[in-house]
């Protein structure tokens, strides 16, 4: 069984898909898959589906959606296979989706990201880059992109988007430690355009450009970031970014060599 939410929702067994087409059953499946093997209370599900518009009939309607999901599961599992009630399980006060953690792409992403962070922290940069790259590579678009979202799933979508960006940033830090700056410039150029106010990505772009002998372009990255921060938010770049800018201006030798060990991400060390 495989449930994918890092992009369009997909749910299937080896035999067939069991992803519902209707909006609210898709919300229920996403809510349950976000925390597999944990009970999601009925009240939480109703709040997600109807918010402040919960009525006396909402719980009955929720039960109808659960029946529909189990019917889809039964068809996907096939005759004589696992009972769908053993997969989408009723518990006191709620429901749980009983599937292996490895069956849900969100859980696999979070496990890979955690392993990558641990490898980075102990200075195993090659392993960190591999694990973090695999984690980021699991994404097929924005999380839950085709699932209606109430308050709970909206929070999950924002949390996952932030986690994706943080994982990507740390993977780039690991690659910088490995001296892969020339390979990173194209990727960082696209990322800074997509995230025009993100200081971390801009600091990485500055380091990569500087190490490739493109000091003037590294300075221009800073100037463009500062202009946007001042113009849109009325704030100056952080002290860390200002220190990195000065290091680039004065050709600080510390910028030239990747650091192979220690827990501090490369651009942050240089900006200290």
């Amino acid at each position: 069984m495989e449930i994918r939410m890092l992009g369009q929702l997909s749910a299937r067994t080896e035999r067939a898909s069991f992803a519902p087409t209707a909006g609210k059953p898709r919300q229920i499946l996403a809510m349950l898959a976000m925390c597999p093997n944990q009970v999601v209370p009925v009240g939480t599900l109703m709040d997600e589906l109807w918010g402040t518009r919960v009525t006396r009939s909402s719980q009955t309607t929720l039960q109808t959606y659960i029946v529909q999901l189990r019917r889809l599961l039964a068809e996907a599992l096939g005759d004589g296979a696992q009972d769908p009630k053993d997969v989408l399980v009723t518990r006191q006060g709620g429901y749980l989706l009983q599937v292996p953690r490895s069956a849900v792409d969100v859980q696999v992403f979070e496990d890979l990201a955690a392993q990558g962070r641990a490898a980075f922290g102990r200075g195993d940069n090659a392993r960190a880059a591999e694990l973090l790259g695999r984690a980021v590579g699991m994404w097929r678009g924005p999380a839950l992109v085709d699932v209606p979202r109430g308050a709970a799933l909206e929070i999950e979508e924002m949390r996952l988007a932030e986690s994706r960006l943080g994982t990507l940033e740390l993977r780039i830090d690991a690659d910088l430690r490995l001296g892969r700056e020339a390979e990173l410039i194209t990727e960082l150029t696209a990322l800074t355009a997509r995230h025009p106010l993100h200081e971390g990505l801009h600091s990485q772009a500055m380091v990569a450009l500087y190490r490739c002998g493109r000091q003037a372009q590294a300075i221009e990255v800073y100037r463009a970031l500062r202009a946007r921060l001042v113009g849109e938010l009325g704030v100056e770049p952080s002290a860390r970014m200002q220190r990195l800018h000065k290091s680039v201006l004065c050709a600080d030798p510390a910028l030239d060599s990747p650091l192979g060990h220690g827990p501090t991400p490369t651009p942050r060390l240089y900006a200290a």
Side-chain angles (χ1 to χ4, degrees), residues 111-125:
D111 289 346
L112 286 170
Q115 294 167 28
R117 287 193 297 271
F120 187 91
R122 63 177 180 265
D124 188 349
N125 301 310

Side-chain angles (χ1 to χ4, degrees), residues 128-158:
E130 176 201 351
L131 289 166
L132 296 166
R134 283 169 55 194
V136 172
M138 296 188 66
W139 287 71
R140 298 166 292 113
L144 303 168
V145 66
D146 59 347
V147 178
R149 294 193 291 273
L153 285 181
E154 193 68 36
I155 291 169
E156 284 299 304
E157 188 276 330
M158 290 188 290

Side-chain angles (χ1 to χ4, degrees), residues 3-11 19-34 48-49 140 142-150 152-154 156-157:
I3 301 173
R4 304 174 74 186
M5 295 182 285
L6 301 177
Q8 293 182 323
L9 176 67
S10 169
T21 56
K24 284 185 166 43
R26 289 171 78 83
Q27 282 178 272
I28 294 170
L29 179 58
M31 285 286 289
L32 296 173
M34 279 291 175
E48 169 63 23
L49 295 178
R140 298 166 292 113
L144 303 168
V145 66
D146 59 347
V147 178
R149 294 193 291 273
L153 285 181
E154 193 68 36
E156 284 299 304
E157 188 276 330

Side-chain angles (χ1 to χ4, degrees), residues 123-185:
D124 188 349
N125 301 310
R127 181 64 172 158
E130 176 201 351
L131 289 166
L132 296 166
R134 283 169 55 194
V136 172
M138 296 188 66
W139 287 71
R140 298 166 292 113
L144 303 168
V145 66
D146 59 347
V147 178
R149 294 193 291 273
L153 285 181
E154 193 68 36
I155 291 169
E156 284 299 304
E157 188 276 330
M158 290 188 290
R159 179 186 69 81
L160 285 168
E162 188 65 27
S163 180
R164 177 190 190 182
L165 189 56
T167 300
L168 175 60
E169 189 180 0
L170 196 62
R171 192 227 82 211
I172 294 170
D173 274 332
D175 282 334
L176 284 170
R177 286 183 170 190
L178 293 166
R180 296 171 177 169
E181 49 272 358
E183 304 166 31
L184 292 171
I185 288 175

